[in-house]
Amino acid sequence: MEKLCPLAAIENLQSKGFTLRGTKFFIVRRGSRVFAYHNSCPHMGVPLEWVEDRFLDYYGELIQCSTHGALFTIEQGRCIFGPCSGQSLQPIKLELRDENIWVDLP
Ligand code: FES
């Protein structure tokens, strides 16, 4: 595991993109819970965000792919609407320790 950033670096109910050692991924924060996924849509393998650090839909309740609008649950990364319905984002293991986010990259 390696230390990524303080939890406070990601605003509550927001998302943030990262590139670490060539791996592109993003984190979504909900209070003291954080979720991380590779930044690659299961539909066509492209990055999901439409603007830097914007991975969520208008309501901030689902992850949205900007290319064809697929929607994914924040907790599971499962596509519930769109061309890759039923498929999932690839999760990245992470932990919260002492208010810092630690990730386990392959
Ligand atoms: S590339 Fe993401 S929905 Fe098509």
Side-chain angles (χ1 to χ4, degrees), residues 19-48:
T19 302
L20 198 58
R21 288 187 282 105
T23 299
K24 291 180 186 297
F25 61 101
F26 65 96
I27 290 185
V28 180
R29 177 178 173 194
R30 289 200 140 176
S32 60
R33 296 192 307 154
V34 281
F35 307 89
Y37 299 99
H38 286 270
N39 187 4
S40 176
C41 180
H43 181 215
M44 292 184 73
V46 298
L48 286 95

Side-chain angles (χ1 to χ4, degrees), residues 1 3 7 11 13 16 19 24-25 31 36 50-51 55 58-60 65 67-68 76 82 91 95 98 106:
M1 284 250 167
K3 192 170 166 179
L7 176 64
E11 282 184 52
L13 306 177
K16 190 171 179 60
T19 302
K24 291 180 186 297
F25 61 101
W50 55 283
V51 171
F55 291 86
Y58 177 78
Y59 302 102
C65 176
T67 303
H68 305 112
Q76 311 288 338
E95 280 179 18
D98 300 328

Side-chain angles (χ1 to χ4, degrees), residues 4-18 25-37 53-57 59-63 73-75 94-96 98-101:
L4 180 67
C5 67
L7 176 64
I10 305 171
E11 282 184 52
N12 190 24
L13 306 177
Q14 298 294 330
S15 56
K16 190 171 179 60
F18 295 89
F25 61 101
F26 65 96
I27 290 185
V28 180
R29 177 178 173 194
R30 289 200 140 176
S32 60
R33 296 192 307 154
V34 281
F35 307 89
Y37 299 99
D53 297 332
R54 300 292 296 270
F55 291 86
L56 301 178
D57 70 347
Y59 302 102
E61 291 178 351
L62 293 164
I63 296 163
T73 61
I74 290 173
E75 288 82 0
L94 82 173
E95 280 179 18
L96 206 52
D98 300 328
E99 296 295 307
N100 287 300
I101 297 171

